[in-house]
Amino acid sequence: MTDLEIRNARPSDAADVLDFWKAAAEGTSVSDDEAGVTGLIARDPGALLLAESAGVLVGSVIAGYDGWRCSLYRLAVLPAYRRQGVATALLRAAERRFEALGGRRADAMVLEANQGAHQAWAAAGYQRQDHWRRWVKPLARP
């Protein structure tokens, strides 16, 4: 895709990002609200990367780095724009971000049931690690 622009999200993008995730992302997150998105942007302004084509939000990825781990979340592309290089461009931008910050390895959160995503991540050079499992605990909100 030649007219693709990758940019950092701004707080004013929060509502559009949430609408986009409803249309393009698999599953939901406990942080899928304006406070969650704007909090992410405030905490790490470079973490939420957006892909736009002709002013339309067509892709996203969260590329979080905490000084220890490079973590990828919410890689999503609008269905009409899939298989056109949007995810590849987002991942390259995320990986460049990690390298600039001193990151050593990128880890991706991928839904187990999303077979299409498994293929996309494998095509991008990522390997599944079956010996790890995610453990979660919801936290009380203030």
Side-chain angles (χ1 to χ4, degrees):
M1 174 169 283
T2 58
D3 67 337
L4 193 66
E5 177 191 353
I6 306 293
R7 67 171 179 85
N8 295 331
R10 299 179 289 266
S12 60
D13 293 317
D16 291 337
V17 167
L18 291 166
D19 288 342
F20 166 78
W21 284 340
K22 287 177 186 171
E26 289 282 325
T28 58
S29 169
V30 68
S31 301
D32 282 358
D33 54 31
E34 287 206 29
V37 174
T38 58
L40 167 65
I41 295 167
R43 159 86 177 58
D44 187 352
L48 178 52
L49 300 172
L50 304 179
E52 293 180 331
S53 177
V56 175
L57 178 56
V58 299
S60 75
V61 69
I62 298 172
Y65 181 64
D66 62 8
W68 184 261
R69 288 189 176 89
C70 303
S71 300
L72 295 161
Y73 312 91
R74 295 304 221 154
L75 176 63
V77 176
L78 280 179
Y81 290 84
R82 291 179 183 161
R83 303 195 58 79
Q84 297 179 42
V86 176
T88 299
L90 282 163
L91 287 176
R92 285 186 183 143
E95 291 164 359
R96 282 192 303 271
R97 176 182 200 277
F98 292 151
E99 290 168 357
L101 293 170
R104 299 180 184 188
R105 180 188 72 206
D107 297 329
M109 295 293 298
V110 183
L111 289 172
E112 187 63 29
N114 189 339
Q115 293 299 315
H118 295 189
Q119 294 171 359
W121 285 101
Y126 289 76
Q127 298 175 340
R128 178 185 172 126
Q129 290 187 328
D130 289 328
H131 59 280
W132 294 99
R133 288 290 180 256
R134 178 176 161 187
W135 293 47
V136 300
K137 176 183 177 182
L139 302 175
R141 295 187 76 174

